[in-house]
Amino acid sequence: MGTDTKSDTALTKSNISSVLRYDLPASLVVFLVAVPLSLGIAIASGAPLVAGLIAGVVGGVVAGFLGGSVVQVSGPAAGLSLVVADLVMTYGWRATCMITLLAGALQLLLGVFRVARSALAVSPAVVHGMLAGVGVVIALSQLHVVLGGSPQRSAIENLIELPQQIIDNHNHAVFVGLLTITVLVASTRLPQQLRIIPAPLTALLAASVTAWAFDWDVTRIDLSKSLSEWASPVWPQGDWHGIIAAVMLVALLAGVESLLCSVATDKLHDGKRSDLDKELTAQGVANMVTGALGGLPVAGVIVRSTANVRAGARSRWSTIMHGFWILVFAVFLGWTITLIPMEALAALLVFIGIQMVNMGHLRNLRGHGEIPVYVITMAGVVLLGLAEGVLLGLILAALLALRRLTWVTVQVTPEPDGHWRVLIGGSLTFLGVPTLTSQLHSIPAGAAVELDLNIDFMDNAAFEAVHAWRHEHERGGGTVDIDEIHDEWYAMAASGARMFPAKTPPRAPDRWWLPWSHRRYSRASENSLVPAQHVPAEDARAAPDLLAGAREFHRRTAPLIRPLMHEMARKQDPSHLFITCADSRLVPNLITASGPGDLFTVRNIGNLVPRKGSAHSDDSVAAAIEYATNVLSVRTITVCGHSGCGAMAALLSGGEKTVEGSALSRWLRHGHHSLAQFVTTESDGADDGPLDRLCRVNVTQQLENLRTYPQVDERFRSGDLELVGAYFDISTARVHILQSPPISAGPP
């Protein structure tokens, strides 16, 4: 696809083959889809049939040539049929053409000022609800034509008259309509490779041929009457307020539908993305041209655009050529339209109307809580009218958005130690004050309260409510400690400082895995994290970082994991015995993304496993191995080493870094087997020097040491226990899995 309109439409040697191979066949497919749809939408709009064909030509050639989407197809849209029908009844067809022309000029102006993105602010629930409502109205009105009658003035009247229409009419028109719908339904259920001819064309051909073969009494399309109604536009007569409203309605509905279609079409292909401002400008020019020529308003249409993409279109030439084929058809084969029964076109519109109530949109909207907007908009369009339904939908969408923006959650929880925890989240405004005060006043007098404010906005009414409750509670002998997790709205208001002018974006919370030195809170403010009476003063002086972390755990994490910890309070069932170094930089749960109850952990200097029966055995490690394998029945034992290990550095230095006879020197004797294996091991290029190679060798040696324990070796040989070597590279924060010992090998 080209980078701009000029390159997209210039037929160079490099793209002629692509156009002939991909775009030409796609244009024929879209043409076959567009002709029956254009005729049907013209009928639904109360416009001359030729107006639908004109809109198809202009939408393909003009909008296709100038548009910002290279694969979107524009033409008469079913979503605009109710508006056009109402305009035709109010002002007449020629005046409606002038309204279309003026709407195009407004679209052109909006595109020049690059406001296309603003149209996407309209809730999709409103747009989809509007289209669904239009679909219901079209289906109800055209169903009367299928049954051999005439549509009523409103959807309600059509619905009321429908039973009588079904009872009274049993003529050939019903057979034609049922045949058309049957073929449409059957065609959509065929495999994609069997849909050689588009379903609408297949249905109309089947209905026309059958009606001709059996000489059924059906209503034929009178193309000569349509041509006589075709004339140049005239200025509408009437209230200028109504005319301006009509121009704005056509411009906005056609523009929004086109832009949403562009966005949806972009999801169907991997080529160049749409330029929405350029697309809106092209739609404006196309509507000016179609209005001047006496055609229907045009907009981007998802049905034709989807057909275009699925047919393999690669450039805008497919859209342009499809418009040209419609023109050729209208000039040279227009007489064939007279063979199509009017009831068949009505049945096609019934089918299209039903398809506009898209259940897929409902499923998408359900997860976002926007189904009420969809339903109200659709009901409003059906019962009241298009403009009224859209207005109701927009109002409801705005109210729901306001409700979400001002939604506040208040959680009041008594803690086991007697104090109360209150968490307030969301936007704290006057709308949430009743809920807020009700929850706060449920706290008993005299209680110690920890109040967490996780809010992004606080207005004056909410501040006054919290501040008044706090003073009242403290006068009753209680204590209130306020911690503002987000911006300090309460603190600033209490100090009389200037408040933030608007809502603020969320600030990144303290990461639980950060070292204490990297946390946002400072030692000077640690005592504000929790009420002073919960922490003895001497403890606070002794270990401020540790206690600050414990306070943070109690406040942030404990409430989340308390149900889980309660379940495992009486029994542990870990799947892994994890043997690793005591190095402070290595955190087992962090590097394995494990939680409580997953790892039975042993940590020592050098992640060493003393061999069974060694002269300087270590009962603590042996006891952990026995307990893990015999009692806990772990399924995996992992030995995890790390880069830059101080114990391995001491071994490599020959004991220069340790004091002879010290506990450390005696402990490191358990690493002599690793040192011996290191001496006989050549570098494979994966290590970063002798120390790094020794750290890796040590892991595999400790796995061999594990095999000296009979219960480990027995379960390992039977396949009930897996031995894994892991290596944590500190500088890159990556965990590497080293080769595990083969089961066939015996214990060392």
Side-chain angles (χ1 to χ4, degrees), residues 223-254:
L223 192 59
S224 60
K225 180 181 177 181
S226 174
L227 290 172
S228 66
E229 294 174 347
W230 180 35
S232 59
V234 297
W235 192 264
Q237 301 297 318
D239 181 13
W240 65 273
H241 292 92
I243 297 172
I244 292 176
V247 170
M248 294 181 63
L249 185 62
V250 172
L252 294 179
L253 288 180

PDB file of all heavy atoms in Angstrom, residues 223-254:
ATOM      1  N   LEU A 223     -38.103   1.572 -13.047  1.00  0.00           N
ATOM      2  CA  LEU A 223     -36.907   2.411 -13.147  1.00  0.00           C
ATOM      3  C   LEU A 223     -37.203   3.730 -13.859  1.00  0.00           C
ATOM      4  O   LEU A 223     -36.583   4.756 -13.562  1.00  0.00           O
ATOM      5  CB  LEU A 223     -35.803   1.652 -13.882  1.00  0.00           C
ATOM      6  CG  LEU A 223     -34.406   2.267 -13.824  1.00  0.00           C
ATOM      7  CD1 LEU A 223     -33.930   2.399 -12.379  1.00  0.00           C
ATOM      8  CD2 LEU A 223     -33.424   1.433 -14.631  1.00  0.00           C
ATOM      9  N   SER A 224     -38.161   3.723 -14.800  1.00  0.00           N
ATOM     10  CA  SER A 224     -38.478   4.963 -15.518  1.00  0.00           C
ATOM     11  C   SER A 224     -39.036   6.013 -14.559  1.00  0.00           C
ATOM     12  O   SER A 224     -38.737   7.207 -14.679  1.00  0.00           O
ATOM     13  CB  SER A 224     -39.482   4.677 -16.634  1.00  0.00           C
ATOM     14  OG  SER A 224     -40.695   4.137 -16.085  1.00  0.00           O
ATOM     15  N   LYS A 225     -39.853   5.575 -13.604  1.00  0.00           N
ATOM     16  CA  LYS A 225     -40.386   6.511 -12.604  1.00  0.00           C
ATOM     17  C   LYS A 225     -39.251   7.067 -11.754  1.00  0.00           C
ATOM     18  O   LYS A 225     -39.228   8.249 -11.411  1.00  0.00           O
ATOM     19  CB  LYS A 225     -41.409   5.806 -11.728  1.00  0.00           C
ATOM     20  CG  LYS A 225     -42.008   6.702 -10.658  1.00  0.00           C
ATOM     21  CD  LYS A 225     -43.001   5.936  -9.801  1.00  0.00           C
ATOM     22  CE  LYS A 225     -43.539   6.830  -8.685  1.00  0.00           C
ATOM     23  NZ  LYS A 225     -44.485   6.110  -7.804  1.00  0.00           N
ATOM     24  N   SER A 226     -38.288   6.196 -11.443  1.00  0.00           N
ATOM     25  CA  SER A 226     -37.142   6.642 -10.646  1.00  0.00           C
ATOM     26  C   SER A 226     -36.338   7.693 -11.387  1.00  0.00           C
ATOM     27  O   SER A 226     -35.903   8.690 -10.806  1.00  0.00           O
ATOM     28  CB  SER A 226     -36.257   5.441 -10.294  1.00  0.00           C
ATOM     29  OG  SER A 226     -35.079   5.859  -9.648  1.00  0.00           O
ATOM     30  N   LEU A 227     -36.169   7.497 -12.704  1.00  0.00           N
ATOM     31  CA  LEU A 227     -35.399   8.465 -13.489  1.00  0.00           C
ATOM     32  C   LEU A 227     -36.133   9.800 -13.590  1.00  0.00           C
ATOM     33  O   LEU A 227     -35.508  10.869 -13.607  1.00  0.00           O
ATOM     34  CB  LEU A 227     -35.128   7.904 -14.879  1.00  0.00           C
ATOM     35  CG  LEU A 227     -34.136   6.727 -14.950  1.00  0.00           C
ATOM     36  CD1 LEU A 227     -34.099   6.141 -16.352  1.00  0.00           C
ATOM     37  CD2 LEU A 227     -32.741   7.193 -14.519  1.00  0.00           C
ATOM     38  N   SER A 228     -37.457   9.757 -13.626  1.00  0.00           N
ATOM     39  CA  SER A 228     -38.224  11.008 -13.723  1.00  0.00           C
ATOM     40  C   SER A 228     -38.146  11.813 -12.430  1.00  0.00           C
ATOM     41  O   SER A 228     -38.307  13.034 -12.445  1.00  0.00           O
ATOM     42  CB  SER A 228     -39.682  10.689 -14.060  1.00  0.00           C
ATOM     43  OG  SER A 228     -40.310   9.995 -12.984  1.00  0.00           O
ATOM     44  N   GLU A 229     -37.923  11.123 -11.323  1.00  0.00           N
ATOM     45  CA  GLU A 229     -37.814  11.817 -10.035  1.00  0.00           C
ATOM     46  C   GLU A 229     -36.416  12.392  -9.808  1.00  0.00           C
ATOM     47  O   GLU A 229     -36.213  13.161  -8.875  1.00  0.00           O
ATOM     48  CB  GLU A 229     -38.149  10.847  -8.900  1.00  0.00           C
ATOM     49  CG  GLU A 229     -39.608  10.386  -8.898  1.00  0.00           C
ATOM     50  CD  GLU A 229     -39.853   9.312  -7.856  1.00  0.00           C
ATOM     51  OE1 GLU A 229     -38.851   8.766  -7.333  1.00  0.00           O
ATOM     52  OE2 GLU A 229     -41.022   9.021  -7.564  1.00  0.00           O
ATOM     53  N   TRP A 230     -35.484  11.974 -10.656  1.00  0.00           N
ATOM     54  CA  TRP A 230     -34.099  12.427 -10.496  1.00  0.00           C
ATOM     55  C   TRP A 230     -33.988  13.859 -11.016  1.00  0.00           C
ATOM     56  O   TRP A 230     -34.320  14.155 -12.161  1.00  0.00           O
ATOM     57  CB  TRP A 230     -33.180  11.483 -11.265  1.00  0.00           C
ATOM     58  CG  TRP A 230     -31.726  11.853 -11.185  1.00  0.00           C
ATOM     59  CD1 TRP A 230     -31.067  12.393 -10.134  1.00  0.00           C
ATOM     60  CD2 TRP A 230     -30.759  11.696 -12.226  1.00  0.00           C
ATOM     61  NE1 TRP A 230     -29.754  12.580 -10.433  1.00  0.00           N
ATOM     62  CE2 TRP A 230     -29.520  12.158 -11.716  1.00  0.00           C
ATOM     63  CE3 TRP A 230     -30.813  11.209 -13.522  1.00  0.00           C
ATOM     64  CZ2 TRP A 230     -28.362  12.147 -12.459  1.00  0.00           C
ATOM     65  CZ3 TRP A 230     -29.654  11.190 -14.264  1.00  0.00           C
ATOM     66  CH2 TRP A 230     -28.436  11.660 -13.738  1.00  0.00           C
ATOM     67  N   ALA A 231     -33.549  14.772 -10.161  1.00  0.00           N
ATOM     68  CA  ALA A 231     -33.442  16.183 -10.554  1.00  0.00           C
ATOM     69  C   ALA A 231     -32.365  16.839  -9.709  1.00  0.00           C
ATOM     70  O   ALA A 231     -31.847  16.271  -8.747  1.00  0.00           O
ATOM     71  CB  ALA A 231     -34.778  16.893 -10.359  1.00  0.00           C
ATOM     72  N   SER A 232     -32.026  18.057 -10.093  1.00  0.00           N
ATOM     73  CA  SER A 232     -30.990  18.789  -9.367  1.00  0.00           C
ATOM     74  C   SER A 232     -31.530  19.259  -8.020  1.00  0.00           C
ATOM     75  O   SER A 232     -32.731  19.431  -7.830  1.00  0.00           O
ATOM     76  CB  SER A 232     -30.543  19.998 -10.193  1.00  0.00           C
ATOM     77  OG  SER A 232     -31.652  20.843 -10.450  1.00  0.00           O
ATOM     78  N   PRO A 233     -30.657  19.497  -7.065  1.00  0.00           N
ATOM     79  CA  PRO A 233     -31.099  19.900  -5.730  1.00  0.00           C
ATOM     80  C   PRO A 233     -31.648  21.324  -5.721  1.00  0.00           C
ATOM     81  O   PRO A 233     -31.264  22.165  -6.545  1.00  0.00           O
ATOM     82  CB  PRO A 233     -29.821  19.792  -4.893  1.00  0.00           C
ATOM     83  CG  PRO A 233     -28.698  19.928  -5.868  1.00  0.00           C
ATOM     84  CD  PRO A 233     -29.190  19.318  -7.141  1.00  0.00           C
ATOM     85  N   VAL A 234     -32.548  21.574  -4.784  1.00  0.00           N
ATOM     86  CA  VAL A 234     -33.094  22.918  -4.574  1.00  0.00           C
ATOM     87  C   VAL A 234     -32.977  23.257  -3.102  1.00  0.00           C
ATOM     88  O   VAL A 234     -32.867  22.385  -2.238  1.00  0.00           O
ATOM     89  CB  VAL A 234     -34.564  23.012  -5.022  1.00  0.00           C
ATOM     90  CG1 VAL A 234     -34.694  22.761  -6.506  1.00  0.00           C
ATOM     91  CG2 VAL A 234     -35.440  22.047  -4.229  1.00  0.00           C
ATOM     92  N   TRP A 235     -33.040  24.566  -2.811  1.00  0.00           N
ATOM     93  CA  TRP A 235     -32.915  24.995  -1.423  1.00  0.00           C
ATOM     94  C   TRP A 235     -34.172  24.610  -0.641  1.00  0.00           C
ATOM     95  O   TRP A 235     -35.280  24.861  -1.092  1.00  0.00           O
ATOM     96  CB  TRP A 235     -32.699  26.502  -1.361  1.00  0.00           C
ATOM     97  CG  TRP A 235     -32.276  26.942   0.011  1.00  0.00           C
ATOM     98  CD1 TRP A 235     -33.058  27.429   0.998  1.00  0.00           C
ATOM     99  CD2 TRP A 235     -30.957  26.891   0.528  1.00  0.00           C
ATOM    100  NE1 TRP A 235     -32.323  27.694   2.115  1.00  0.00           N
ATOM    101  CE2 TRP A 235     -31.006  27.367   1.856  1.00  0.00           C
ATOM    102  CE3 TRP A 235     -29.713  26.486   0.008  1.00  0.00           C
ATOM    103  CZ2 TRP A 235     -29.892  27.470   2.667  1.00  0.00           C
ATOM    104  CZ3 TRP A 235     -28.601  26.585   0.812  1.00  0.00           C
ATOM    105  CH2 TRP A 235     -28.684  27.071   2.127  1.00  0.00           C
ATOM    106  N   PRO A 236     -34.020  23.962   0.502  1.00  0.00           N
ATOM    107  CA  PRO A 236     -35.197  23.536   1.268  1.00  0.00           C
ATOM    108  C   PRO A 236     -35.980  24.730   1.802  1.00  0.00           C
ATOM    109  O   PRO A 236     -35.404  25.734   2.225  1.00  0.00           O
ATOM    110  CB  PRO A 236     -34.595  22.701   2.406  1.00  0.00           C
ATOM    111  CG  PRO A 236     -33.175  23.154   2.510  1.00  0.00           C
ATOM    112  CD  PRO A 236     -32.745  23.563   1.146  1.00  0.00           C
ATOM    113  N   GLN A 237     -37.283  24.602   1.798  1.00  0.00           N
ATOM    114  CA  GLN A 237     -38.168  25.639   2.308  1.00  0.00           C
ATOM    115  C   GLN A 237     -38.699  25.209   3.682  1.00  0.00           C
ATOM    116  O   GLN A 237     -39.124  24.075   3.862  1.00  0.00           O
ATOM    117  CB  GLN A 237     -39.347  25.855   1.347  1.00  0.00           C
ATOM    118  CG  GLN A 237     -38.931  26.259  -0.055  1.00  0.00           C
ATOM    119  CD  GLN A 237     -38.200  27.598  -0.079  1.00  0.00           C
ATOM    120  OE1 GLN A 237     -38.606  28.540   0.606  1.00  0.00           O
ATOM    121  NE2 GLN A 237     -37.131  27.672  -0.873  1.00  0.00           N
ATOM    122  N   GLY A 238     -38.676  26.152   4.619  1.00  0.00           N
ATOM    123  CA  GLY A 238     -39.187  25.838   5.946  1.00  0.00           C
ATOM    124  C   GLY A 238     -38.368  26.514   7.017  1.00  0.00           C
ATOM    125  O   GLY A 238     -37.598  27.453   6.758  1.00  0.00           O
ATOM    126  N   ASP A 239     -38.546  26.053   8.251  1.00  0.00           N
ATOM    127  CA  ASP A 239     -37.847  26.610   9.401  1.00  0.00           C
ATOM    128  C   ASP A 239     -36.345  26.415   9.239  1.00  0.00           C
ATOM    129  O   ASP A 239     -35.863  25.280   9.118  1.00  0.00           O
ATOM    130  CB  ASP A 239     -38.358  25.929  10.668  1.00  0.00           C
ATOM    131  CG  ASP A 239     -37.687  26.487  11.920  1.00  0.00           C
ATOM    132  OD1 ASP A 239     -37.033  27.540  11.821  1.00  0.00           O
ATOM    133  OD2 ASP A 239     -37.822  25.848  12.980  1.00  0.00           O
ATOM    134  N   TRP A 240     -35.589  27.523   9.255  1.00  0.00           N
ATOM    135  CA  TRP A 240     -34.143  27.401   9.042  1.00  0.00           C
ATOM    136  C   TRP A 240     -33.463  26.697  10.208  1.00  0.00           C
ATOM    137  O   TRP A 240     -32.412  26.075  10.031  1.00  0.00           O
ATOM    138  CB  TRP A 240     -33.515  28.765   8.787  1.00  0.00           C
ATOM    139  CG  TRP A 240     -33.585  29.725   9.943  1.00  0.00           C
ATOM    140  CD1 TRP A 240     -34.593  30.576  10.246  1.00  0.00           C
ATOM    141  CD2 TRP A 240     -32.576  29.914  10.948  1.00  0.00           C
ATOM    142  NE1 TRP A 240     -34.306  31.298  11.372  1.00  0.00           N
ATOM    143  CE2 TRP A 240     -33.063  30.914  11.827  1.00  0.00           C
ATOM    144  CE3 TRP A 240     -31.317  29.361  11.186  1.00  0.00           C
ATOM    145  CZ2 TRP A 240     -32.338  31.352  12.932  1.00  0.00           C
ATOM    146  CZ3 TRP A 240     -30.590  29.791  12.274  1.00  0.00           C
ATOM    147  CH2 TRP A 240     -31.094  30.778  13.139  1.00  0.00           C
ATOM    148  N   HIS A 241     -34.075  26.762  11.411  1.00  0.00           N
ATOM    149  CA  HIS A 241     -33.511  26.002  12.527  1.00  0.00           C
ATOM    150  C   HIS A 241     -33.541  24.502  12.224  1.00  0.00           C
ATOM    151  O   HIS A 241     -32.574  23.772  12.480  1.00  0.00           O
ATOM    152  CB  HIS A 241     -34.297  26.281  13.808  1.00  0.00           C
ATOM    153  CG  HIS A 241     -34.132  27.679  14.314  1.00  0.00           C
ATOM    154  ND1 HIS A 241     -34.995  28.695  13.957  1.00  0.00           N
ATOM    155  CD2 HIS A 241     -33.199  28.225  15.137  1.00  0.00           C
ATOM    156  CE1 HIS A 241     -34.607  29.809  14.550  1.00  0.00           C
ATOM    157  NE2 HIS A 241     -33.520  29.562  15.279  1.00  0.00           N
ATOM    158  N   GLY A 242     -34.675  24.040  11.676  1.00  0.00           N
ATOM    159  CA  GLY A 242     -34.797  22.633  11.330  1.00  0.00           C
ATOM    160  C   GLY A 242     -33.839  22.230  10.232  1.00  0.00           C
ATOM    161  O   GLY A 242     -33.290  21.122  10.247  1.00  0.00           O
ATOM    162  N   ILE A 243     -33.623  23.141   9.256  1.00  0.00           N
ATOM    163  CA  ILE A 243     -32.699  22.836   8.156  1.00  0.00           C
ATOM    164  C   ILE A 243     -31.272  22.699   8.672  1.00  0.00           C
ATOM    165  O   ILE A 243     -30.543  21.767   8.313  1.00  0.00           O
ATOM    166  CB  ILE A 243     -32.792  23.925   7.076  1.00  0.00           C
ATOM    167  CG1 ILE A 243     -34.204  23.937   6.464  1.00  0.00           C
ATOM    168  CG2 ILE A 243     -31.738  23.705   6.000  1.00  0.00           C
ATOM    169  CD1 ILE A 243     -34.451  25.103   5.537  1.00  0.00           C
ATOM    170  N   ILE A 244     -30.861  23.624   9.550  1.00  0.00           N
ATOM    171  CA  ILE A 244     -29.506  23.558  10.124  1.00  0.00           C
ATOM    172  C   ILE A 244     -29.328  22.278  10.930  1.00  0.00           C
ATOM    173  O   ILE A 244     -28.291  21.596  10.855  1.00  0.00           O
ATOM    174  CB  ILE A 244     -29.237  24.798  10.995  1.00  0.00           C
ATOM    175  CG1 ILE A 244     -29.163  26.052  10.117  1.00  0.00           C
ATOM    176  CG2 ILE A 244     -27.948  24.625  11.785  1.00  0.00           C
ATOM    177  CD1 ILE A 244     -28.990  27.337  10.893  1.00  0.00           C
ATOM    178  N   ALA A 245     -30.381  21.927  11.707  1.00  0.00           N
ATOM    179  CA  ALA A 245     -30.310  20.698  12.502  1.00  0.00           C
ATOM    180  C   ALA A 245     -30.188  19.480  11.601  1.00  0.00           C
ATOM    181  O   ALA A 245     -29.433  18.529  11.903  1.00  0.00           O
ATOM    182  CB  ALA A 245     -31.544  20.589  13.394  1.00  0.00           C
ATOM    183  N   ALA A 246     -30.922  19.498  10.478  1.00  0.00           N
ATOM    184  CA  ALA A 246     -30.854  18.370   9.548  1.00  0.00           C
ATOM    185  C   ALA A 246     -29.463  18.247   8.928  1.00  0.00           C
ATOM    186  O   ALA A 246     -28.919  17.136   8.812  1.00  0.00           O
ATOM    187  CB  ALA A 246     -31.905  18.544   8.454  1.00  0.00           C
ATOM    188  N   VAL A 247     -28.877  19.378   8.541  1.00  0.00           N
ATOM    189  CA  VAL A 247     -27.527  19.358   7.961  1.00  0.00           C
ATOM    190  C   VAL A 247     -26.523  18.803   8.972  1.00  0.00           C
ATOM    191  O   VAL A 247     -25.686  17.944   8.646  1.00  0.00           O
ATOM    192  CB  VAL A 247     -27.122  20.774   7.509  1.00  0.00           C
ATOM    193  CG1 VAL A 247     -25.635  20.816   7.145  1.00  0.00           C
ATOM    194  CG2 VAL A 247     -27.966  21.220   6.329  1.00  0.00           C
ATOM    195  N   MET A 248     -26.608  19.271  10.214  1.00  0.00           N
ATOM    196  CA  MET A 248     -25.676  18.807  11.243  1.00  0.00           C
ATOM    197  C   MET A 248     -25.882  17.324  11.547  1.00  0.00           C
ATOM    198  O   MET A 248     -24.913  16.578  11.734  1.00  0.00           O
ATOM    199  CB  MET A 248     -25.857  19.631  12.516  1.00  0.00           C
ATOM    200  CG  MET A 248     -25.459  21.097  12.356  1.00  0.00           C
ATOM    201  SD  MET A 248     -25.651  22.034  13.890  1.00  0.00           S
ATOM    202  CE  MET A 248     -24.469  21.201  14.952  1.00  0.00           C
ATOM    203  N   LEU A 249     -27.148  16.886  11.560  1.00  0.00           N
ATOM    204  CA  LEU A 249     -27.427  15.484  11.857  1.00  0.00           C
ATOM    205  C   LEU A 249     -26.850  14.571  10.781  1.00  0.00           C
ATOM    206  O   LEU A 249     -26.191  13.564  11.085  1.00  0.00           O
ATOM    207  CB  LEU A 249     -28.938  15.277  11.987  1.00  0.00           C
ATOM    208  CG  LEU A 249     -29.398  13.883  12.413  1.00  0.00           C
ATOM    209  CD1 LEU A 249     -28.862  13.537  13.793  1.00  0.00           C
ATOM    210  CD2 LEU A 249     -30.921  13.796  12.401  1.00  0.00           C
ATOM    211  N   VAL A 250     -27.090  14.907   9.511  1.00  0.00           N
ATOM    212  CA  VAL A 250     -26.555  14.080   8.418  1.00  0.00           C
ATOM    213  C   VAL A 250     -25.027  14.088   8.440  1.00  0.00           C
ATOM    214  O   VAL A 250     -24.379  13.037   8.300  1.00  0.00           O
ATOM    215  CB  VAL A 250     -27.081  14.578   7.062  1.00  0.00           C
ATOM    216  CG1 VAL A 250     -26.381  13.842   5.911  1.00  0.00           C
ATOM    217  CG2 VAL A 250     -28.583  14.393   6.968  1.00  0.00           C
ATOM    218  N   ALA A 251     -24.433  15.270   8.634  1.00  0.00           N
ATOM    219  CA  ALA A 251     -22.968  15.377   8.634  1.00  0.00           C
ATOM    220  C   ALA A 251     -22.350  14.566   9.768  1.00  0.00           C
ATOM    221  O   ALA A 251     -21.373  13.826   9.559  1.00  0.00           O
ATOM    222  CB  ALA A 251     -22.554  16.850   8.745  1.00  0.00           C
ATOM    223  N   LEU A 252     -22.907  14.689  10.962  1.00  0.00           N
ATOM    224  CA  LEU A 252     -22.313  14.023  12.118  1.00  0.00           C
ATOM    225  C   LEU A 252     -22.538  12.518  12.074  1.00  0.00           C
ATOM    226  O   LEU A 252     -21.613  11.737  12.331  1.00  0.00           O
ATOM    227  CB  LEU A 252     -22.884  14.614  13.410  1.00  0.00           C
ATOM    228  CG  LEU A 252     -22.517  16.080  13.674  1.00  0.00           C
ATOM    229  CD1 LEU A 252     -23.158  16.584  14.959  1.00  0.00           C
ATOM    230  CD2 LEU A 252     -20.999  16.247  13.743  1.00  0.00           C
ATOM    231  N   LEU A 253     -23.761  12.089  11.738  1.00  0.00           N
ATOM    232  CA  LEU A 253     -24.018  10.650  11.693  1.00  0.00           C
ATOM    233  C   LEU A 253     -23.195   9.974  10.601  1.00  0.00           C
ATOM    234  O   LEU A 253     -22.574   8.927  10.833  1.00  0.00           O
ATOM    235  CB  LEU A 253     -25.508  10.393  11.467  1.00  0.00           C
ATOM    236  CG  LEU A 253     -26.450  10.687  12.640  1.00  0.00           C
ATOM    237  CD1 LEU A 253     -27.883  10.377  12.256  1.00  0.00           C
ATOM    238  CD2 LEU A 253     -26.051   9.894  13.871  1.00  0.00           C
ATOM    239  N   ALA A 254     -23.175  10.574   9.418  1.00  0.00           N
ATOM    240  CA  ALA A 254     -22.383   9.988   8.329  1.00  0.00           C
ATOM    241  C   ALA A 254     -20.893  10.027   8.655  1.00  0.00           C
ATOM    242  O   ALA A 254     -20.159   9.070   8.367  1.00  0.00           O
ATOM    243  CB  ALA A 254     -22.658  10.734   7.028  1.00  0.00           C
TER     244      ALA A 254
END
